[in-house]
Amino acid sequence: IINLAKDCFISLHEDPGLEHFYIYTYEKDDVPGEWSLLLKNTLNTIFEPIPKKMEKTDFDHMVNSTVFKCCDGSFEDHLFHLGIPLTATTETPGLLDLKKRIQANSTVIAAVIKYMAKRSAKNISK
């Protein structure tokens, strides 16, 4: 999978007990950058993010519905440490409509493809 995911890897999950979305992201920046914002902003067009009060009580290391570079031993964390520059897990709200969750994941996939195509075009022009 490392060869197939050499540019990025994204895992689409859902949290069965929630009505809000959140994400786990990994990128080389010291703070959430373009990759994290892309995913968060894309999901934010369809669902509401985790409320601030839930961030503080229910999730470790979450800021603005994003858990950033959490060394938790997850598959995405492992791939990031193996050299995949951008990895993420999206958590869509499992309590909401299935069609809306499918739409959200399709929208995320399309946004990632567009983002990676732009990054590739920038690298080619350099």
Side-chain angles (χ1 to χ4, degrees):
I1 196 159
I2 293 172
N3 290 332
L4 296 173
K6 67 180 184 220
D7 298 313
C8 74
F9 179 86
I10 186 162
S11 184
L12 306 171
H13 291 201
E14 62 181 38
D15 191 317
L18 290 179
E19 295 180 345
H20 302 88
F21 81 87
Y22 59 98
I23 58 176
Y24 293 87
T25 59
Y26 302 82
E27 56 189 303
K28 291 183 180 182
D29 296 335
D30 291 332
V31 295
E34 285 184 359
W35 174 247
S36 299
L37 290 174
L38 166 79
L39 297 171
K40 188 175 106 175
N41 291 341
T42 300
L43 285 170
N44 203 38
T45 64
I46 301 166
F47 298 117
E48 294 291 321
I50 287 281
K52 297 279 185 214
K53 65 180 180 177
M54 285 182 70
E55 286 183 358
K56 294 179 177 152
T57 59
D58 297 352
F59 295 91
D60 291 335
H61 313 293
M62 184 179 286
V63 177
N64 296 321
S65 63
T66 303
V67 178
F68 184 66
K69 285 173 106 169
C70 180
C71 295
D72 59 359
S74 66
F75 187 58
E76 297 75 22
D77 175 40
H78 183 65
L79 288 176
F80 179 72
H81 283 94
L82 288 176
I84 307 303
L86 304 168
T87 67
T89 301
T90 61
E91 296 282 357
T92 56
L95 292 177
L96 298 184
D97 182 64
L98 177 61
K99 288 181 183 178
K100 202 169 183 182
R101 296 189 322 256
I102 292 168
Q103 174 197 0
N105 287 329
S106 297
T107 303
V108 166
I109 291 167
V112 168
I113 290 169
K114 186 176 179 180
Y115 176 76
M116 295 310 294
K118 284 183 183 178
R119 276 177 60 110
S120 181
K122 283 181 189 178
N123 289 337
I124 291 171
S125 67
K126 287 184 180 180

